[in-house]
Amino acid sequence: MSNMQDKVALVTGASSGIGRATAELFATNGAKVVVAARRGDELDALVAAIEAAGGQASAVQTDVSKSEDVQAMVQHAVGTFGRIDYAVNNAGIEGVFSAITELPDEEWDRVLGINLRGVFLCMKHQARAMLAAGQGGAIVNVGSVNSFLGFPTGSAYCTSKHGLIGLTTSVSAELAVQGIRVNLVCPGIVDTPMHHRARNLLGDEIYDQGVLPSVHLRRAGRPEEIAQAIVFLCSDAASYITGTTLTPDGGLTLTV
Ligand code: NAD
């Protein structure tokens, strides 16, 4: 555990899965947490759970693909808790899996709009807030093993996640001199609502016989295990780490 007392963490996509587990872990470490996502009821329930456990949290309903929402999200964080020390850009969708010949233009735009443009917008406004405070900070973006690997019918999702490597490395180089570290966490298969939707799209047979056997630990990860990697990269224990990727994937990308 890290001591994050008096620190402020902002987590997008916090209503579910990896984002929710990350927000809870920040709170357990003593940070004040701003939780952002599209679903207000679930965010309110998360805030109540964090407060019931003795933590501090605030919810802000946000669509990360909309510039005005992202600006309002960052203003909410600064207005509520004074500043942002840690920002986790985790919100994402799997979209519709489709052959390139059938993939609707609008679906390409929707997936790239949330998974790639959304992270761009978040980093832009988070970095402005961190620079204005002048106390450094840490940003973690959430990619995927599909930041390195493609799969048939996954062109929009994989492109969005590959793009996060360029976005993360470039921005980390820009902000390092001001004491802001930027890293990318690339999970493998994680037991969340997204994973179950993706499994339904791919089919149990492809998943059980094609995907799972390539995971050397032979199981899906738990959201809490990914949260540990994210919170570590924000913590002082990672003070010399910037511009890199950490891949908690149970060994999925070790071998072909
Ligand atoms: P999830 O579906 O459980 O949660 C996704 C979260 O993102 C939800 O809170 C949702 O409301 C939010 N979200 C979606 N679109 C949004 C938008 N436009 N604006 C704001 N919030 C939005 O999924 P998860 O598995 O927890 O995924 C979290 C991240 O991890 C995603 O970026 C995903 O691509 C990545 N990831 C997941 C897996 C996996 O197997 N679950 C693997 C690799 C990467």
Side-chain angles (χ1 to χ4, degrees):
M1 255 183 54
S2 303
N3 182 359
M4 294 182 162
Q5 217 73 41
D6 300 325
K7 300 288 188 183
V8 179
L10 167 62
V11 182
T12 71
S15 63
S16 171
I18 294 167
R20 184 180 170 115
T22 302
E24 289 179 323
L25 185 56
F26 273 127
T28 302
N29 285 351
K32 297 168 190 148
V33 192
V34 176
V35 293
R38 289 176 302 186
R39 290 172 290 181
D41 290 352
E42 297 185 26
L43 291 176
D44 290 342
L46 174 58
V47 169
I50 289 173
E51 288 176 346
Q56 286 187 70
S58 178
V60 56
Q61 223 168 331
T62 308
D63 181 338
V64 296
S65 66
K66 294 185 177 157
S67 186
E68 61 276 15
D69 275 29
V70 173
Q71 285 185 60
M73 173 185 77
V74 169
Q75 277 167 9
H76 176 92
V78 174
T80 306
F81 291 130
R83 60 179 213 246
I84 300 170
D85 299 287
Y86 314 129
V88 178
N89 298 316
N90 159 81
I93 57 167
E94 70 281 14
V96 172
F97 295 162
S98 165
I100 189 78
T101 48
E102 309 304 322
L103 183 61
D105 302 356
E106 303 73 32
E107 184 60 10
W108 172 271
D109 291 342
R110 188 173 77 97
V111 173
L112 274 285
I114 294 172
N115 293 2
L116 189 54
R117 175 184 153 87
V119 177
F120 151 66
L121 290 172
C122 286
M123 281 207 292
K124 175 175 176 172
H125 295 288
Q126 291 156 357
R128 285 181 178 175
M130 288 176 178
L131 290 170
Q135 294 173 335
I139 298 174
V140 173
N141 299 324
V142 178
S144 165
V145 289
N146 298 119
S147 296
F148 320 113
L149 307 172
F151 65 91
T153 73
S155 57
Y157 183 75
C158 295
T159 301
S160 70
K161 294 296 183 181
H162 274 62
L164 291 180
I165 293 184
L167 190 54
T168 302
T169 52
S170 301
V171 176
S172 72
E174 285 174 30
L175 297 177
V177 74
Q178 283 107 340
I180 300 171
R181 298 182 295 101
V182 188
N183 290 291
L184 183 67
V185 165
C186 293
I189 298 164
V190 189
D191 189 2
T192 68
M194 176 186 284
H195 160 61
H196 290 285
R197 290 192 302 271
R199 182 181 172 129
N200 286 339
L201 288 170
L202 289 172
D204 287 351
E205 197 179 319
I206 291 182
Y207 178 81
D208 290 334
Q209 291 168 26
V211 180
L212 201 53
S214 57
V215 180
H216 288 263
L217 290 179
R218 296 289 187 270
R219 65 171 177 84
R222 296 186 296 276
E224 297 75 20
E225 293 176 302
I226 311 308
Q228 290 286 355
I230 294 169
V231 172
F232 160 70
L233 283 171
C234 289
S235 75
D236 288 347
S239 54
Y240 200 55
I241 303 178
T242 195
T244 194
T245 56
L246 181 57
T247 307
D249 69 348
L252 173 59
T253 49
L254 283 178
T255 52
V256 287

